[in-house]
Amino acid sequence: MTARSSTGLERVRASAGIVRLTLQQIEDELTGDIGAQELAEILRELHHEDHRQDGDFGSLAQLLTVAGQAAERIEPDRDGEMSCPLHEAAALITENAGLQTYYATRALDPQGESA
């Protein structure tokens, strides 16, 4: 591992740690006194149905897409052996996790979509 890649990996680890702390803070909010509408709003913040790329699921899917593109550059002769699973994971996040979260918000607060 080169010094540059070591530094990059350290930045990724630090950023991932911040993400974990942020998710823990959101989780702590959910353990308090919370109603269905407020929970639906929190989930909508994570999802953003109208602009999926703005939601957290969209951001995670984009990260996996970029990782798939990097894998294609690293070993272009592997016929997608490394990149295809990353692209599929990105699609699953937006299509499955995102869609299920949307259904959950609709069940919690059906009127909230028009707000």
Side-chain angles (χ1 to χ4, degrees):
M1 183 179 301
T2 66
R4 181 176 179 213
S5 63
S6 176
T7 303
L9 184 56
E10 289 171 12
R11 284 195 310 266
V12 168
R13 285 183 178 139
S15 296
I18 292 167
V19 169
R20 285 190 293 276
L21 289 173
T22 303
L23 291 173
Q24 181 62 53
Q25 185 176 20
I26 294 169
E27 187 178 327
D28 291 346
E29 291 294 323
L30 297 176
T31 61
D33 187 26
I34 188 168
Q37 288 179 326
E38 188 177 5
L39 178 56
E41 284 303 313
I42 289 170
L43 294 174
R44 283 187 186 103
E45 284 300 314
L46 297 172
H47 183 242
H48 283 279
E49 174 62 24
D50 293 336
H51 303 283
R52 290 183 185 171
Q53 68 276 9
D54 293 339
D56 294 317
F57 291 123
S59 295
L60 183 55
Q62 178 63 27
L63 184 142
L64 291 170
T65 298
V66 171
Q69 293 167 346
E72 291 167 3
R73 287 191 313 271
I74 291 168
E75 295 194 21
D77 58 339
R78 303 255 327 242
D79 294 329
E81 182 181 328
M82 293 176 6
S83 63
C84 281
L86 292 167
H87 290 296
E88 288 176 19
L92 286 172
I93 287 171
T94 53
E95 293 171 15
N96 292 353
L99 186 59
Q100 294 303 318
T101 302
Y102 172 74
Y103 290 151
T105 60
R106 293 288 299 173
L108 287 164
D109 183 24
Q111 304 302 318
E113 287 299 306
S114 60

